[in-house]
Amino acid sequence: AQTLVFVKMKMEQFAQNQEKQELRVEQESLCAMLAESIVEIQNLTFELSSPVLKQLGLVHALESWLQEIVERRYNISTVFIPTVLPSFLPDDLKAILYRSVKELCINAIKHGRPQEIKVTMQQTNDALTIEVADNGVGFCPEVLEVDSPHRGFGLFSITERFNPLGGGLNVESRPGEGCRAVPSIPLR
């Protein structure tokens, strides 16, 4: 973000020295885009290292994010069904779960256009699962195949986060039927 701030300052200086109006307008437009990028990066940095997650825990951080971002920013209804987490769940694992649920919700918003997203946490004796289900447009299951040109980075990165932990990501969808994504990790 600091580099973008520096580039923006240089562009503003350059724009002030331009005599041709059309160049000045174009440079002002570039400065506005840089300013927007800076704000987005600052917001992303804040969201990736949520102080709420560290201070209040995973359940409250997810609940807060769903209300603040999904409901207020995107105007999508949410249902959150939490569970009591085991006390031994390490902070880095909570952070992985938090980022993964956020990524799944953002994927649903961007690609599924749902009216509602439901997040359900469930703990069994040997695993913790968090189901993210939406009532959006859904997609063909073939998109999930490893060699599919339409497979996105988001689902791949979530899978890569859970595999070393012995967990995984199960995704089910059909056109017109929304999507159900369930990351899970073993509790050993």
Side-chain angles (χ1 to χ4, degrees):
Q2 291 175 342
T3 303
L4 287 176
V5 170
F6 180 72
V7 170
K8 180 180 174 283
M9 289 172 33
K10 287 292 196 183
M11 290 292 295
E12 287 170 345
Q13 289 173 352
F14 188 68
Q16 290 173 356
N17 295 331
Q18 288 299 315
E19 293 179 18
K20 293 187 176 182
Q21 181 64 23
E22 55 199 45
L23 284 177
R24 178 174 283 163
V25 169
E26 188 64 31
Q27 288 165 337
E28 288 173 356
S29 172
L30 289 171
C31 286
M33 287 190 296
L34 283 170
E36 187 177 320
S37 295
I38 291 165
V39 169
E40 287 176 5
I41 288 173
Q42 290 169 338
N43 288 340
L44 181 62
T45 301
F46 178 79
E47 288 179 15
L48 285 175
S49 59
S50 168
V52 176
L53 178 62
K54 292 187 187 307
Q55 293 169 356
L56 300 177
L58 179 62
V59 170
H60 293 293
L62 285 173
E63 184 173 46
S64 172
W65 186 83
L66 288 167
Q67 289 173 354
E68 293 293 322
I69 303 301
V70 178
E71 289 187 1
R72 290 196 181 117
R73 184 183 295 174
Y74 295 104
N75 199 29
I76 295 172
S77 174
T78 63
V79 175
F80 182 52
I81 303 172
T83 188
V84 176
L85 294 174
S87 59
F88 63 84
L89 201 62
D91 287 343
D92 58 340
L93 196 51
K94 291 176 189 174
I96 289 170
L97 291 166
Y98 178 72
R99 284 194 298 267
S100 297
V101 170
K102 286 174 47 177
E103 178 74 29
L104 291 169
C105 289
I106 293 298
N107 277 353
I109 293 166
K110 285 185 347 188
H111 305 293
R113 300 184 304 277
Q115 294 176 353
E116 180 181 87
I117 296 175
K118 182 178 180 181
V119 177
T120 306
M121 301 174 77
Q122 185 175 3
Q123 178 188 342
T124 62
N125 289 336
D126 58 349
L128 175 65
T129 61
I130 303 179
E131 177 182 299
V132 178
D134 69 72
N135 64 354
V137 298
F139 55 87
C140 292
E142 293 79 31
V143 169
L144 298 173
E145 294 175 8
V146 175
D147 58 351
S148 170
H150 303 289
R151 183 180 168 123
F153 181 72
L155 294 178
F156 172 78
S157 67
I158 293 170
T159 302
E160 289 298 304
R161 285 182 209 141
F162 284 93
N163 282 345
L165 304 170
L169 174 65
N170 182 34
V171 180
E172 299 171 2
S173 184
R174 285 204 161 80
E177 296 182 16
C179 180
R180 180 179 168 273
V182 186
S184 63
I185 54 167
L187 297 175
R188 297 183 195 142

